[in-house]
Amino acid sequence: MIQNITDLSRKLDTGALKSADLVAEALDRIAGPEGQEGRVFLSVYDAAARAQAEWLDTARAKGIPLPRHAGIPIAVKDLFDVKGEVTRAGSRVLDGQPPAEADAAIVLRLRRAGFVIVGKTNMTEFAYSGLGMNAHFGTPRNPRDTTADRIPGGSSSGAGVAVAAGLVPAAIGTDTGGSCRIPAAFCGVVGFKPTSSRVPKEGTVPLSRTLDCIGPLATSVSCCAVLDSVLAGGEGEDVPSFPEGGLRLGVLEGYVTEHLDSGVGAAFQAMLTRLSRRGVRLTPLTIGELADLPKINAKGGLVGAEAHAWHAPLLETRADFYDPWVRERFSAGRSQTAEDYIRVIEARARLRALVAERQAPFDALLLPTVQIVAPTIESLADSAVSAPVNLLCLRNTAVGNFLDLPAISIPCHDEGALPVGAMLMGRTGDDRRLLSIARGLEGTIRSH
């Protein structure tokens, strides 16, 4: 399957490719071994997707004007409402809830842009983990290692696997502490987290209404830019590539590099060398105050308080239906007081102002997306091991959520090595400029 959205659009528009064939290929792959026996997709809209593709082909043949990306298959996370279907959020807790009365705002925007939604992807239960494991429906295996069963990263686990395995050209996920970027880094694809207010969240099961973001996972920065435009209410425009020469990047050190494993460290350093040789000005930058984040969020932070508030009624009536590991994380938010919550909000405002000042001299900040490569599923069987690994997976990406900075993860590992992501972070609200910078740097960031 051709994976670049712009190339697919061009071929569909010229008649060199039929949407029916493209969608059929995606559905066949989802039903095949790459779909991992239902662990990647939790819902598949086979008949509806094929019918939509056939209609679009007929309309195009008749010269009926269509949106520029009409006919391209795409997947959405199991966190978004689809009219007539119960939104499960990767859980059994909501099985008894009524079906959604309308599509989520972003599902509607994708449909209006002509994308063919082929199904809903698996995820961590209620999006509350960066590992991507699911005790109810099974954990999708990371497709980048055929010798061991490694985690895909979460919470948008199925989205990362679906794109990495070539099941769909792109998928839409959510990101509250790294849930688009962690699976992108672990699975070797591109994942983008926008400024929180950029994309509407109506019809999405919340984790933290303050920090939740909705973004794409795809094979390239260009594809993410196209989808970011659609999700934000645009027409699916790409961004130009910002010239490499003279760009000023602040390379974050300290808190975000304290636990780098050797594979991540080597890949990241080699990428810095490539960037420097291309004329990118790199300046080491330590923001010591980031080390306060664990203390600020010691009682669960905004996520803990806001997630518990939404789940409190379900924890009273449906507690036994939760994965115990996830349930424990929700219950932890019960101990927070109103004062605790306000103190986190105040600390966030102070830290955002400080980082904005330190960030001002740079076009973007650069850091490893995750400090480790994807561990094996087996190694995380004990919660005493999985809990600290989960926190480490979220450590770097959560910085962008707490500061409400747009951020994008791009693969930077050598071919054949376990995937490693490099993350660019821009200024709040300056999402399209960050995407333009990322597109200009993408060829150098990726190892050739």
Side-chain angles (χ1 to χ4, degrees), residues 69-368:
H69 304 300
I72 297 175
I74 197 167
V76 298
K77 191 175 182 176
D78 193 40
L79 211 60
F80 301 115
D81 284 350
V82 169
K83 185 178 180 180
E85 179 180 334
V86 175
T87 306
R88 291 172 294 181
S91 178
R92 295 294 188 189
V93 175
L94 302 178
D95 283 352
Q97 296 294 307
E101 296 182 356
D103 287 337
I106 66 101
V107 171
L108 187 58
R109 287 183 173 182
L110 290 169
R111 293 196 197 281
R112 286 175 175 170
F115 285 94
V116 179
I117 299 174
V118 296
K120 282 187 176 182
T121 52
N122 200 352
M123 56 177 287
T124 305
E125 183 177 28
F126 290 113
Y128 211 1
S129 167
L131 302 177
M133 300 170 74
N134 188 300
H136 303 289
F137 303 104
T139 299
R141 297 186 304 273
N142 191 319
R144 297 301 190 190
D145 188 354
T146 58
T147 65
D149 290 343
R150 295 184 180 274
I151 63 169
S155 64
S156 307
S157 55
V161 173
V163 175
L167 306 185
V168 287
I172 308 302
T174 61
D175 193 310
T176 306
S179 291
C180 283
R181 292 160 291 153
I182 296 168
F186 281 169
C187 293
V189 299
V190 180
F192 177 62
K193 180 209 90 70
T195 300
S196 180
S197 61
R198 180 168 175 78
V199 179
K201 304 166 195 172
E202 290 82 6
T204 307
V205 176
L207 180 59
S208 165
R209 295 187 189 278
T210 300
L211 303 181
D212 289 345
C213 304
I214 298 171
L217 294 90
T219 57
S220 69
V221 174
S222 172
C223 293
C224 285
V226 166
L227 287 166
D228 168 75
S229 172
V230 171
L231 296 175
E235 299 297 321
E237 303 92 346
D238 199 351
V239 291
S241 295
F242 200 95
E244 287 178 289
L247 272 176
R248 300 161 299 168
L249 301 182
V251 182
L252 277 181
E253 298 179 344
Y255 178 76
V256 299
T257 56
E258 285 178 351
H259 303 288
L260 282 185
D261 72 20
S262 58
V264 174
F268 192 75
Q269 187 58 52
M271 177 210 61
L272 293 179
T273 300
R274 293 194 297 272
L275 289 172
S276 181
R277 287 173 177 170
R278 295 285 295 182
V280 179
R281 288 184 284 173
L282 305 174
T283 302
L285 177 65
T286 299
I287 302 177
E289 290 82 358
L290 293 179
D292 295 334
L293 283 172
K295 182 179 179 181
I296 292 171
N297 294 304
K299 294 185 177 181
L302 299 176
V303 178
E306 295 176 4
H308 181 266
W310 194 89
H311 281 268
L314 293 169
L315 290 167
E316 290 293 330
T317 61
R318 304 274 292 175
D320 290 345
F321 290 87
Y322 285 84
D323 172 0
W325 190 83
V326 175
R327 183 180 63 224
E328 183 63 26
R329 298 199 72 202
F330 282 120
S331 299
R334 185 183 292 116
S335 63
Q336 280 201 60
T337 65
E339 181 181 352
D340 294 330
Y341 184 74
I342 291 169
R343 293 285 180 252
V344 175
I345 292 174
E346 292 173 342
R348 185 185 189 219
R350 289 194 299 270
L351 192 56
R352 288 185 66 189
L354 183 148
V355 172
E357 181 181 348
R358 306 276 180 86
Q359 188 179 9
F362 305 105
D363 294 294
L365 302 180
L366 179 62
L367 62 157

Side-chain angles (χ1 to χ4, degrees), residues 424-445:
L424 289 163
M425 293 197 303
R427 295 181 180 84
T428 304
D430 215 358
D431 299 51
R432 298 303 279 181
R433 187 170 189 271
L434 175 67
L435 285 163
S436 183
I437 290 169
R439 189 170 182 214
L441 295 176
E442 183 176 16
T444 304
I445 288 175

